[in-house]
Amino acid sequence: MERNLEPVATELLPYIKQYALHIPEIVGMIVAHLTSTEILFCRGVSKDWSRIFSPFLKLHAIYWDHGVLYKARFEERLETLGPYVQSFKEVYPARDDLDKIKRTCPNLRRIGFFLRDKSLPDTQAMVKFFQAMKRLERVDVFSHNDLLMTSCLVSLASCQVSLDSESTLPTVASGQTISAQHLPCDPLRVLEVGIAARSMASPTIEWDLLEAVLTRHQMIQDLTIREAHLREASDFTNSGGISWARSASIIFGQQAQQKWGVMSSELKEGNEGANRMEYLNSILGIAAPESTVFNYLETLVFDNVKISEELFVSVVSRCPSLKTLNVKLTGVEMPMHAWSSCLPCCPQLANIIVNNEYGGVCVDIPDVWTLAPSLRTLHVTRSRGPEVYFSDVESHPGLENTVLSQTPHPGYALVSLELCCGISITDTRVRSVMSHCRFLERLVLELLYFTEWMQGAEQSTPFPEWSCRRSLKSLELQTIYRGNDQQFDERTHLFINRLKDLEVLEKLILPGKLLSDLSESGVELYGAFRDLLARLDIWNDQYFAQAQRQHVKLDCDTNQEATDLQHQQLSQELGYQHAKQCHVWTRDGSGPVNFIPQMPSVKNVTLTSPSDTRFALEMRHLHILMEALPGVRTIWTSKNLYGMDCIPRFNYFYNRFQELYGLTGVELILGSP
């Protein structure tokens, strides 16, 4: 006998509503859909709600220091919300502000210092602040001023050192060294120094001070240096013309200057750099930098950094756990042999990103593959500077007897590859990528498919099948256009035709002009398809021209049924219904050959437009895509493809596209994913 539970449920409903928020699983599901502001509102409903929702509140704020009144209101809010603050930005390390944060924000995990004033921060206050913040996981230090940057780094390196009350000179507590003082549970994991935006003035960062920070906080996993000059210990004058001895006296006090003078005259005469490093070791209690190995450092980023080859090799060579190396140098050139000096010391290196926008980093792709066999991501961008080399993979040193089926080939483990360095369509590196990168999932190639008129005989080597045909899911083709003395390289058709090998490709990114260049190249094989596109253009132009002429008359007719009938008659007269039914590309494979091969797995297409190339999208380019990609669901188009007045022109294209392909469910979208 079945029991009717409806009365019981009705009776229990008020209790369920009352105590539902006492069930952690229900609260977790609710909070997952709330923003920090909404959680704040929930806290204000009642004391019970405040107790329930407060543990989920995580605030991220900019330290408000613009005017006495606003700062007072901000600090008043900190008294109640401070325990929920997770991160602060734009903090100037004044003593009062640091004391306020230290007292009200015990759970702070990230702080960003912006040293914008000329006055020197309070070193003792900063040291005490770092000692008190037991959960601080990330520290960002941004400043244009060398002295302010040095002061902050010294404070961070001294955060476990007791300070003498009579002097700003840090001394080692009980004569212990950092190896004895360092706590294995040191929470600091991320350090970023430099400046946050591009500027004419970049700070000079002392490597020995930065190394002292890394030695003190050995658990740091991520180090980023932005827009700065990283100099070695042998340099003694910063960009502002301030000698290091004077900087030390300002930061550490007069006692430090006297000690530095004694060490410079007595120790290692003629080697001021070594003296200075010993001086730092003695006052900070740190082991000699030459013996320092950064065992936990996994990510190293040089973003627009000026650094010498020797220092670069020295830093990278001491990171045995390094997994990601991001290099973007400015004003310097890194020779190719630097890689062979440091990469063998990083056996776990999986990601290398090289950007040559402002500097020159020479890269031989197969050489990097060989030196870093566990490499999974390689991104190389060349805008200026030296060439990106791609020596013959088969004849590369140490690979003479390599057999792909037995020993992994260099590049075999790559999952993501970007070669934005202007590769000629006939270059061997294109064929090497197609042949050897078997497990690629994402590929970006910047191609040159125009042949200079002075170039010699054509290369007849065919393009191989894609070895990553069952793994590649995203393919982006970029283009570079050079001088006027070039002609379209017909071998581009052979490369494009090989895209049919890619069985699981889902995302395809193409320059819009590439479709135009392919369709205008004049290859006889595609003559019938060009004629078909021309007829489609004529049909569409006739229909829309006459429809526009009839527009006023149709709109003036108040009888909607008669208006629809006139539309239908007009379409039939122009043969438009035939175009709508037959040119959604449902024909068999015996028809005219398209410039783009059949790729049924592609779901998302993006048409891009280089900023330095003038090109206007036409309907025929969309016809090319719709015929070749029967499984496409979304077509993204760049704004530059529609000219200066992009919105009206896109609306015109959108209406025409919907008339032809609206029944297929394909979306035409302005912008990029």
Side-chain angles (χ1 to χ4, degrees):
M1 180 177 179
E2 296 183 1
R3 180 183 178 185
N4 187 5
L5 298 179
E6 183 175 353
V8 179
T10 304
E11 183 179 353
L12 293 178
L13 185 60
Y15 298 96
I16 295 175
K17 292 182 178 179
Q18 181 179 358
Y19 296 103
L21 292 181
H22 293 270
I23 302 175
E25 291 77 9
I26 295 180
V27 178
M29 289 187 292
I30 295 174
V31 171
H33 300 279
L34 300 180
T35 64
S36 297
T37 303
E38 292 169 341
I39 296 177
L40 274 175
F41 289 144
C42 292
R43 290 181 69 253
V45 172
S46 64
K47 291 184 178 180
D48 194 24
W49 278 41
S50 178
R51 178 185 58 81
I52 293 172
F53 286 96
S54 291
F56 298 95
L57 186 60
K58 297 180 180 180
L59 300 178
H60 307 273
I62 297 177
Y63 197 83
W64 197 259
D65 191 13
H66 303 285
V68 178
L69 180 60
Y70 290 105
K71 185 176 181 180
R73 292 179 179 177
F74 178 78
E75 292 179 346
E76 182 180 352
R77 296 286 286 172
L78 279 184
E79 295 294 336
T80 56
L81 297 178
Y84 311 109
V85 175
Q86 298 285 308
S87 67
F88 269 131
K89 292 183 178 180
E90 297 187 17
V91 177
Y92 185 80
R95 179 182 291 271
D96 294 341
D97 293 343
L98 292 178
D99 290 342
K100 175 72 70 174
I101 295 174
K102 183 170 56 177
R103 181 175 60 83
T104 60
C105 306
N107 299 315
L108 191 68
R109 297 182 181 275
R110 174 179 178 178
I111 188 167
F113 291 109
F114 182 47
L115 312 181
R116 59 190 180 277
D117 298 329
K118 296 296 183 182
S119 57
L120 191 68
D122 192 325
T123 308
Q124 293 187 27
M126 292 185 68
V127 172
K128 293 179 180 179
F129 173 80
F130 288 130
Q131 288 176 334
M133 304 308 293
K134 303 298 184 182
R135 298 188 177 184
L136 201 60
E137 298 177 353
R138 174 167 180 167
V139 175
D140 301 335
V141 183
F142 301 131
S143 178
H144 299 273
N145 188 282
D146 300 351
L147 191 58
L148 297 179
M149 177 68 69
T150 301
S151 175
C152 193
L153 291 179
V154 167
S155 302
L156 191 57
S158 309
C159 67
Q160 292 183 3
V161 180
S162 61
L163 297 178
D164 189 353
S165 59
E166 299 180 357
S167 173
T168 59
L169 175 65
T171 57
V172 181
S174 304
Q176 296 178 348
T177 63
I178 186 173
S179 58
Q181 291 186 9
H182 177 71
L183 299 177
C185 59
D186 189 344
L188 192 60
R189 295 293 186 271
V190 182
L191 176 64
E192 183 171 337
V193 297
I195 55 178
R198 295 179 181 177
S199 172
M200 295 298 293
S202 299
T204 299
I205 300 178
E206 304 280 352
W207 167 246
D208 45 353
L209 287 177
L210 191 56
E211 187 174 15
V213 175
L214 295 175
T215 308
R216 176 70 68 186
H217 305 277
Q218 296 182 13
M219 303 298 291
I220 290 180
Q221 299 175 352
D222 191 331
L223 173 62
T224 300
I225 306 173
R226 298 191 187 278
E227 303 281 346
H229 176 200
L230 189 62
R231 70 177 183 180
E232 301 177 79
S234 57
D235 301 326
F236 305 107
T237 304
N238 59 25
S239 58
I242 303 176
S243 66
W244 192 86
R246 180 186 170 192
S247 301
S249 65
I250 295 175
I251 297 172
F252 295 111
Q254 191 65 28
Q255 181 181 351
Q257 187 180 20
Q258 295 174 358
K259 185 174 182 179
W260 169 245
V262 173
M263 292 187 65
S264 298
S265 60
E266 295 181 355
L267 299 176
K268 299 182 181 179
E269 184 176 355
N271 191 352
E272 189 175 4
N275 290 345
R276 189 176 72 170
M277 296 177 72
E278 287 193 15
Y279 163 74
L280 275 176
N281 297 338
S282 65
I283 64 173
L284 297 179
I286 298 174
E290 291 83 358
S291 61
T292 303
V293 178
F294 313 119
N295 291 310
Y296 295 94
L297 194 62
E298 297 182 354
T299 302
L300 181 60
V301 179
F302 296 103
D303 185 7
N304 276 359
V305 174
K306 185 177 181 180
I307 184 175
S308 66
E309 174 191 349
E310 294 77 13
L311 183 56
F312 175 83
V313 172
S314 174
V315 173
V316 177
S317 299
R318 288 185 281 160
C319 304
S321 301
L322 192 64
K323 296 180 180 179
T324 300
L325 177 61
N326 192 331
V327 182
K328 183 179 180 182
L329 305 184
T330 177
V332 296
E333 183 173 330
M334 191 68 60
M336 196 180 308
H337 61 77
W339 298 105
S340 59
S341 302
C342 58
L343 291 188
C345 303
C346 309
Q348 302 182 39
L349 192 60
N351 309 294
I352 296 180
I353 303 171
V354 177
N355 190 321
N356 283 334
E357 184 176 359
Y358 299 112
V361 181
C362 295
V363 180
D364 186 342
I365 305 298
D367 187 49
V368 172
W369 287 353
T370 307
L371 295 172
S374 59
L375 198 63
R376 294 178 59 83
T377 300
L378 177 60
H379 297 172
V380 181
T381 303
R382 179 184 66 85
S383 297
R384 305 170 188 172
E387 291 287 339
V388 176
Y389 301 95
F390 204 107
S391 59
D392 189 356
V393 178
E394 303 300 337
S395 61
H396 197 273
L399 303 177
E400 293 82 358
N401 299 322
T402 298
V403 179
L404 187 61
S405 60
Q406 299 177 0
T407 304
H409 199 282
Y412 186 81
L414 279 175
V415 174
S416 177
L417 177 62
E418 288 188 16
L419 296 180
C420 301
C421 47
I423 305 174
S424 173
I425 196 67
T426 59
D427 200 308
T428 56
R429 71 190 87 180
V430 176
R431 294 176 172 83
S432 298
V433 171
M434 297 173 66
S435 301
H436 302 302
C437 301
R438 176 167 294 187
F439 298 110
L440 274 182
E441 297 180 4
R442 178 178 179 269
L443 175 63
V444 179
L445 291 177
E446 188 180 61
L447 297 174
L448 293 168
Y449 59 87
F450 279 82
T451 307
E452 296 184 7
W453 66 273
M454 295 181 295
Q455 186 171 347
E458 295 187 359
Q459 299 181 11
S460 58
T461 306
F463 288 96
E465 293 186 2
W466 290 84
S467 60
C468 56
R469 59 184 179 275
R470 292 189 177 91
S471 62
L472 190 63
K473 297 181 179 180
S474 175
L475 173 63
E476 178 176 355
L477 299 180
Q478 302 176 2
T479 57
I480 291 182
Y481 301 95
R482 297 181 297 188
N484 297 325
D485 56 342
Q486 300 169 351
Q487 61 181 357
F488 184 80
D489 195 327
E490 303 295 351
R491 289 163 292 188
T492 306
H493 285 287
L494 301 178
F495 171 76
I496 296 296
N497 190 52
R498 286 254 64 102
L499 299 183
K500 64 184 179 182
D501 300 336
L502 304 175
E503 301 175 3
V504 297
L505 188 66
E506 298 178 356
K507 183 177 181 180
L508 181 63
I509 303 176
L510 297 170
K513 193 175 185 305
L514 176 61
L515 298 177
S516 176
D517 294 333
L518 290 171
S519 62
E520 297 174 1
S521 60
V523 179
E524 296 181 1
L525 178 64
Y526 306 101
F529 192 75
R530 279 193 294 269
D531 294 340
L532 184 58
L533 293 176
R535 291 198 299 271
L536 267 178
D537 289 340
I538 294 175
W539 283 333
N540 293 333
D541 292 341
Q542 288 179 347
Y543 172 75
F544 280 94
Q546 188 163 345
Q548 189 173 9
R549 289 193 297 269
Q550 298 283 344
H551 180 70
V552 177
K553 295 181 180 179
L554 295 178
D555 288 344
C556 293
D557 195 338
T558 56
N559 188 338
Q560 184 64 35
E561 183 178 353
T563 302
D564 295 339
L565 181 60
Q566 292 183 41
H567 270 297
Q568 184 178 0
Q569 292 174 350
L570 178 62
S571 298
Q572 291 176 352
E573 291 175 1
L574 295 174
Y576 185 67
Q577 288 297 329
H578 175 73
K580 186 174 182 180
Q581 293 174 6
C582 299
H583 295 91
V584 184
W585 309 109
T586 57
R587 62 173 179 80
D588 55 20
S590 60
V593 180
N594 193 352
F595 317 108
I596 306 296
Q598 290 285 311
M599 292 183 284
S601 61
V602 175
K603 301 293 188 295
N604 191 322
V605 179
T606 302
L607 294 180
T608 61
S609 175
S611 57
D612 57 347
T613 303
R614 294 183 179 180
F615 171 74
L617 189 70
E618 299 178 5
M619 275 300 299
R620 62 165 44 209
H621 305 133
L622 299 180
H623 294 323
I624 294 173
L625 293 178
M626 292 300 295
E627 193 280 335
L629 311 175
V632 67
R633 289 293 172 263
T634 308
I635 299 178
W636 298 83
T637 54
S638 170
K639 294 181 179 180
N640 294 335
L641 295 175
Y642 301 98
M644 297 294 294
D645 199 6
C646 62
I647 301 299
R649 182 168 171 80
F650 170 76
N651 290 335
Y652 171 71
F653 265 79
Y654 180 82
N655 293 333
R656 296 181 67 180
F657 187 83
Q658 289 300 315
E659 290 288 346
L660 274 176
Y661 302 108
L663 298 179
T664 63
V666 181
E667 293 185 89
L668 180 65
I669 304 177
L670 179 65
S672 56

